[in-house]
Each structure stands twice: as structure tokens, then as C-alpha cells.
Amino acid sequence: MTTLAARPTATAPVRQASRRGSRVRKTLYWIARHAIAVALALMFLGPLVFVALTALMSDNQALTGELWPDTWNWGNFADVFARSNLLAWTANTFMYAALGTAFMLLSSIPVAYAMARFRFRGRKLAFLAVITVMMLPPQVIAVPVYLVWARMGLTGTLWPLILPMLLGDAFSIFLLRQFLITIPREYTEAARVDGCSDFMTLLRVILPMARPAIAAVALFQFFYCWNDYYGPLLYAQTNEANWTLSIGLASFRALHSVQWNLTMAATLLVTAPVIIVFFFAQKVFIEGVTLTGVKG
């Protein structure tokens, strides 16, 4: 009886060791499976962590080889606002990004819908023209376009960057068109049988189904406008009242090139809104990019 009772207790440590070994194997398998993702995550998070830590250092400690702040100088962020027009730059950038994105959606969605659904002569030629515009560098046409806006008296403002969005964006049209052609035609045919016009079909049937793609192109355009440096430098450099964050940050760095803690604090403040927007919209953004195929 004693030997029978002793057997379960003798095998208990073996079972525990087996469970620990199983957990270790699962952990190692997860690390091996996600090693590339973890390495890429550390690669992208490393510079951001460095910027955040440097932004909280004192002026004497910044870029001295020490990675951890001796004292947490949260007042560096207040100094950035006190020594620059960061609020005005943010307002100009938000206006540029918001209006540019709204105008792009307003003009690109109908064009993409027409290319994806309508059968007309020259449809393939029009799609080829969109792809050609995508491959055309903006610097090639910068001089003649600048002369046009200069004659209209709009240089020194951001309107030469916002108003062209009313004519559509080639990349957005391409991405939306690729998504719309994946939507079955039975939905639009059913809407037409019910008496919907092409506009109402687009508004009530296509747009709700194309939300992921619309969100994706909207985020692409918003991030592009927020980070754009070449366009504001070309048109708004002469008027400080219309500077965006990209120009303002470059000017701030030139004035405070020795104070790297303030430069990093300003960089973090400029980057934070983009990170926050992407954090809350990453699900629909990834879904829109994933569902956008290459059919056609």
C-alpha cells in the first residue's frame, strides 16, 4: 500500500519539469517565429526611445554618451513652446493636411469609381495616364507650376498645395480603383434595379463597402501632407505666418543646434500627433491595404 501511494508523488516533479519544458519550447518557438518582427520592432522603436530620452535630459547631458537622464527635465517641452511658434505651425499643418485629404477624397473617389465600374472608350488609356502620373517626379514640373501660382498671386501661402487636391491624386485613384473592382457587380446592378442613379449607388452602396480603402488612402494623404517639407519650402518659405511644422522644425534646429535636448523635444512634439493617429487607426489602415488587390 505504501509503494502504491508513493508513486504519484514521485512522478509529480517529473510532470512539473515536463510542463516547464513545454512552456520553454513554446516560448522559444514563438521567438523563432516572430524573430524578424521583433527585430524590426526594436529597429524602429530604438530611435524613438532615444529621441524621447534625449528630450528629457539637461542641456549638459544631451549627446554625452549617457542614455538615461540624470534628471527628468519636463520643462524642455514648455521651452519649445516658449521659443517657437509651434501652435501656429501646428494649425497651418493641420489645415494643410485636413483640407488636402478632404479635397483628395472628394475628387479621387468618383474618378476611381468611374474607372472601376463604367465601360467607356479610352478607359485603359485613362488608367495608363494615372500610372504615368504616379511615376512622374514632382520636381520635373515644379518650375512651370510655380510660375502659374506666382501669376495668380498665391505664392507665400499653402493654397498651391491644397487646391491641386481638387484635381485628384494619382496614387489614391489607383489604390481606390484596385479595391473597387473587387466589389461584386451584383451589388451595383441590384441598386440600379431598385432605381438608384450612379451617384446614389456610389453614395449608398459603394462607399460603405469601401471604407477600409478610403481610410487607407486618407491616412496616406494625411501623413504625406503632415510630413511634407518640399512643398511648403517651395511656396511658403517667404511667409513665416504660413510655415508648417516641417519648416518650423528645420528653423528651430538651426537656431538651437547646440541644445539637442530642445531639438529632440520639438521633434517628439511634431511626431506625436502622427503616432497617435496611426495607433488608433492602424486596424482599418492595415485592413484597407490588405484588401486592396492587384486585380485588373
Side-chain angles (χ1 to χ4, degrees):
M1 296 295 292
T2 56
T3 56
L4 293 176
R7 286 180 181 177
T9 57
T11 58
V14 177
R15 292 179 180 177
Q16 293 178 358
S18 177
R19 291 175 182 174
R20 286 196 296 268
S22 178
R23 288 195 295 266
V24 170
R25 285 194 299 270
K26 289 181 180 179
T27 303
L28 293 176
Y29 175 75
W30 185 91
I31 294 175
R33 186 178 180 183
H34 300 83
I36 298 178
V38 172
L40 291 176
L42 294 177
M43 186 185 303
F44 284 103
L45 287 177
L48 184 61
V49 173
F50 173 77
V51 170
L53 292 177
T54 307
L56 295 172
M57 293 180 180
S58 63
D59 186 22
N60 296 327
Q61 186 188 3
L63 299 185
T64 58
E66 299 181 10
L67 299 179
W68 196 260
D70 294 335
T71 57
W72 299 89
N73 297 275
W74 297 98
N76 291 340
F77 298 100
D79 290 342
V80 172
F81 284 98
R83 302 186 185 189
S84 66
N85 295 324
L86 190 63
L87 293 178
W89 299 341
T90 303
N92 293 335
T93 306
F94 183 79
M95 182 192 71
Y96 172 31
L99 291 180
T101 303
F103 289 171
M104 181 276 297
L105 293 176
L106 186 64
S107 57
S108 299
I109 292 177
V111 176
Y113 174 69
M115 288 187 173
R117 292 301 181 187
F118 295 165
R119 301 291 183 181
F120 57 91
R121 182 177 299 177
R123 184 169 63 98
K124 293 184 178 180
L125 185 61
F127 183 65
L128 180 62
V130 171
I131 297 178
T132 304
V133 173
M134 286 175 55
M135 296 185 294
L136 184 67
Q139 291 80 6
V140 174
I141 58 174
V143 173
V145 172
Y146 182 87
L147 294 177
V148 171
W149 293 114
R151 291 179 180 179
M152 297 177 64
L154 293 178
T155 54
T157 68
L158 295 174
W159 290 112
L161 303 173
I162 298 174
L163 294 179
M165 291 296 103
L166 288 172
L167 302 177
D169 177 69
F171 176 74
S172 301
I173 293 173
F174 171 79
L175 201 65
L176 288 170
R177 184 256 184 190
Q178 297 303 103
F179 182 88
L180 293 180
I181 60 178
T182 63
I183 299 177
R185 290 185 173 272
E186 287 76 9
Y187 291 102
T188 55
E189 292 175 357
R192 290 175 182 174
V193 170
D194 291 339
C196 289
S197 61
D198 292 328
F199 176 76
M200 296 305 298
T201 301
L202 172 63
L203 189 63
R204 295 185 178 182
V205 179
I206 299 299
L207 290 186
M209 300 180 68
R211 287 178 183 174
I214 295 174
V217 297
L219 286 175
F220 274 128
Q221 184 65 35
F222 185 87
F223 292 160
Y224 170 79
C225 294
W226 189 274
N227 298 320
D228 187 18
Y229 178 76
Y230 175 76
L233 179 67
L234 181 63
Y235 290 103
Q237 183 185 15
T238 57
N239 188 358
E240 187 176 352
N242 291 319
W243 280 8
T244 59
L245 285 171
S246 56
I247 301 180
L249 182 61
S251 174
F252 185 87
R253 179 186 176 279
L255 294 175
H256 303 276
S257 58
V258 180
Q259 297 174 299
W260 283 103
N261 56 335
L262 296 183
T263 302
M264 295 300 180
T267 303
L268 192 62
L269 290 173
V270 171
T271 311
V274 177
I275 297 176
I276 294 173
V277 170
F278 182 77
F279 179 79
F280 286 102
Q282 61 178 332
K283 182 177 180 180
V284 66
F285 175 76
I286 296 174
E287 182 182 358
V289 175
T290 304
L291 295 179
T292 302
V294 293
K295 181 180 177 183

